[in-house]
Amino acid sequence: MAEAKSRVFSGVQPTGNLHLGNYLGAITRFVELQDTHDCLYCVVDLHAVTVWQDPDELTRNTREVTAAFLASGIDAETHIVFNQSQVPAHAELAWLLNCVARIGWLNRMTQFKEKAGKNRENASVGLFAYPVLMAADILAYRSTHVPVGEDQKQHLELSRDIAQKFNTDFARAIARAGHEAEFFPPPEPLIMGPATRVMSLRDGTRKMSKSDPSDLSRINLSDDADTIAKKIRRAKTDPNALPSEVEGLAARPEASNLVGIFAALSGRSAGDILKQFGGGPFSRLKDALADVAVDVLTPIGAETARLMDDPDHIDRILSRGAARASAIATPILEATRDVMGFVRAPHRR
Ligand code: TYM
């Protein structure tokens, strides 16, 4: 089924409601890639706890992200769906890679600066080291392709730097053990599709995000039809009519965001949408967009809710996925330990 040696890995944090940005920027891509690649999709609970999580909420959110994956069309039989904390290789490889990554590299991460805010001294060590754990997630499977939204681009570049530094630092041992020189292949980001950066419905210059205090800023996958329609109707716009051509969207962030969301949800091009709605008021576009959004999203919300009624079923999927993921990651981790010179028991050599 898959191209030789290509493997897709991606992760989503269980830190609250999944929203339209997660869906269009990541999950729809995850679904598409299943046709052409072997895929691992991970609920990254170890990343979630880099900021404090209520334990009951973490459990619930982990199941809910899993349910949303399944409801969106991810196939946990053909591919692998699991939660990160059940595969110890992630945390162990992260430690090894912490010793490869440089503090200067992490100091440049814009997401840490945003998340830590002014009170940097009080951020967890885990939040600072977060991108190294992300590199470990990817490299533990020698993943070659990583579908993500635009906001993860810098983290992916760091993963590539870590892979390359490891390959260089241990080049002699890698060659001696008969591994390929690219012991860790530098993973390629797949930032694709019409909605790699979905913006807030309240401010077209800011990313749609779980952490925005205003729920009106985002459409959650769990929102019902009325809520979705209400949020779209209340979305911020500018005072001008819609342009008839794509070029007219430049410097109009709210118009551009609504048209982009419409295009991504409907599979139509922005040009085609503007041909239909250009010259008219935003309300016409919003009515049509609300219909499309409700049609696409409410079945996913309903199926997620149905799956959440049987948490044992979800937990079985996760533990089976974790066993399959471990079977891939463990030999890679053991080879990594060997290359670095860690002694292992004679019977395990
Ligand atoms: P997270 O949980 O914040 O987001 C999950 C995915 O959704 C994408 N995304 C968006 N895409 C478009 N528009 C938006 N407004 C928007 N908001 C979020 C994100 O880019 C992401 O693809 N660090 C990652 C999780 C992670 C990971 C990994 C990803 C951990 N390990 C290994 C890839 C590979 C994160 O916090 O994503």
Side-chain angles (χ1 to χ4, degrees), residues 22 61 78-79 107 117 151 194 219 263 282 310 318 339 344 348:
N22 301 129
N61 288 335
T78 312
H79 300 279
N107 275 337
D151 61 340
I219 295 174
F282 273 95
D310 188 356
L318 288 174
V339 157
R344 47 162 137 170
R348 301 209 53 212

Side-chain angles (χ1 to χ4, degrees), residues 238-301:
D238 60 42
N240 301 319
L242 277 161
S244 306
E245 312 270 320
V246 177
E247 295 71 43
L249 291 173
R252 296 184 65 184
E254 282 82 19
S256 168
N257 190 37
L258 290 175
V259 172
I261 292 172
F262 199 148
L265 283 171
S266 63
R268 291 170 61 187
S269 70
D272 185 38
I273 292 165
L274 290 177
K275 228 180 259 161
Q276 185 180 352
F277 296 99
F282 273 95
S283 56
R284 272 184 59 221
L285 175 87
K286 284 179 166 183
D287 287 344
L289 174 56
D291 289 344
V292 175
V294 166
D295 281 354
V296 174
L297 301 178
T298 51
I300 296 173

Side-chain angles (χ1 to χ4, degrees), residues 9-15 19 21-26 30 44 47 84 111 115 130 133-134 137-138 146-152 155-156 195-199 207-210:
F9 181 97
S10 198
V12 174
Q13 292 197 68
T15 45
H19 54 70
N22 301 129
Y23 180 70
L24 294 176
F30 298 178
V44 289
H47 275 106
Q84 193 183 24
Q111 204 159 80
K115 283 199 185 170
Y130 176 116
L133 177 59
M134 190 165 154
D137 297 339
I138 298 166
V146 184
V148 282
E150 174 75 35
D151 61 340
Q152 297 299 316
H155 289 159
L156 257 292
T196 56
R197 191 169 174 82
V198 177
M199 308 309 277
K207 190 182 75 169
M208 184 177 285
S209 151
K210 294 174 201 179

Side-chain angles (χ1 to χ4, degrees), residues 68-124:
F69 278 0
L70 303 175
S72 304
I74 290 176
D75 174 357
E77 287 295 317
T78 312
H79 300 279
I80 299 178
V81 173
F82 68 108
N83 60 317
Q84 193 183 24
S85 61
Q86 288 204 65
V87 180
H90 292 245
E92 188 177 341
L93 185 59
W95 179 260
L96 302 180
L97 298 181
N98 272 334
C99 303
V100 174
R102 306 287 91 182
I103 289 180
W105 298 358
L106 291 177
N107 275 337
R108 286 196 283 276
M109 296 293 114
T110 52
Q111 204 159 80
F112 174 73
K113 291 181 201 162
E114 280 162 24
K115 283 199 185 170
K118 290 206 181 75
N119 201 357
R120 240 178 113 152
E121 293 290 306
N122 199 35
S124 73

Side-chain angles (χ1 to χ4, degrees), residues 185-202:
E188 266 190 50
L190 296 177
I191 300 173
M192 35 177 221
T196 56
R197 191 169 174 82
V198 177
M199 308 309 277
S200 157
L201 297 181
R202 306 300 301 162

Side-chain angles (χ1 to χ4, degrees), residues 24-92:
L24 294 176
I27 297 173
T28 55
R29 304 283 87 85
F30 298 178
V31 172
E32 285 166 16
L33 286 161
Q34 296 183 118
D35 293 339
T36 45
H37 294 72
D38 287 330
C39 305
L40 293 113
Y41 295 127
C42 183
V43 186
V44 289
D45 46 9
L46 297 175
H47 275 106
V49 299
T50 56
V51 297
W52 191 83
Q53 301 295 322
D54 176 88
D56 292 337
E57 290 280 305
L58 180 67
T59 307
R60 186 188 153 76
N61 288 335
T62 301
R63 291 184 181 133
E64 198 166 62
V65 171
T66 310
F69 278 0
L70 303 175
S72 304
I74 290 176
D75 174 357
E77 287 295 317
T78 312
H79 300 279
I80 299 178
V81 173
F82 68 108
N83 60 317
Q84 193 183 24
S85 61
Q86 288 204 65
V87 180
H90 292 245
E92 188 177 341

